[in-house]
Amino acid sequence: TLRHELFHLAQPEDWSRWRAEGEAMKFSGERPQGEPFENVNEEELDDLLANPDSRETLQRAVATAYLWVVRGQ
């Protein structure tokens, strides 16, 4: 958790929310706890990360962000 949050302090300010979360997870060695969403765009993913309606939604959104970062999207 500490590595993840410290990464956020050092990240570029202009990154989208999904990129920031995915990169922080990658840097800290975290692994996703949910199944990634298959059909969301960047704006939708940012909204899901900012205002998840459940813990499962948040876990899936974070997993999607991580997957996109790992794939180089």
Side-chain angles (χ1 to χ4, degrees):
T1 301
L2 184 58
R3 285 180 59 113
H4 181 109
E5 294 307 322
L6 288 173
F7 182 88
H8 284 305
L9 292 175
Q11 77 187 33
E13 291 180 25
D14 62 343
W15 274 0
S16 60
R17 185 179 301 269
W18 74 263
R19 175 157 315 278
E21 284 305 316
E23 294 285 357
M25 286 188 68
K26 182 179 169 186
F27 176 79
S28 64
E30 295 173 84
R31 295 294 173 251
Q33 300 298 311
E35 283 294 315
F37 289 111
E38 292 185 21
N39 297 310
V40 300
N41 62 39
E42 291 183 21
E43 184 178 328
E44 291 169 328
L45 186 54
D46 277 347
D47 288 343
L48 289 169
L49 287 165
N51 300 301
D53 60 5
S54 68
R55 181 166 176 80
E56 180 184 358
T57 297
L58 178 59
Q59 288 176 336
R60 293 189 71 193
V62 168
T64 305
Y66 177 82
L67 180 64
W68 288 4
V69 164
V70 171
R71 287 185 177 170
Q73 292 180 313

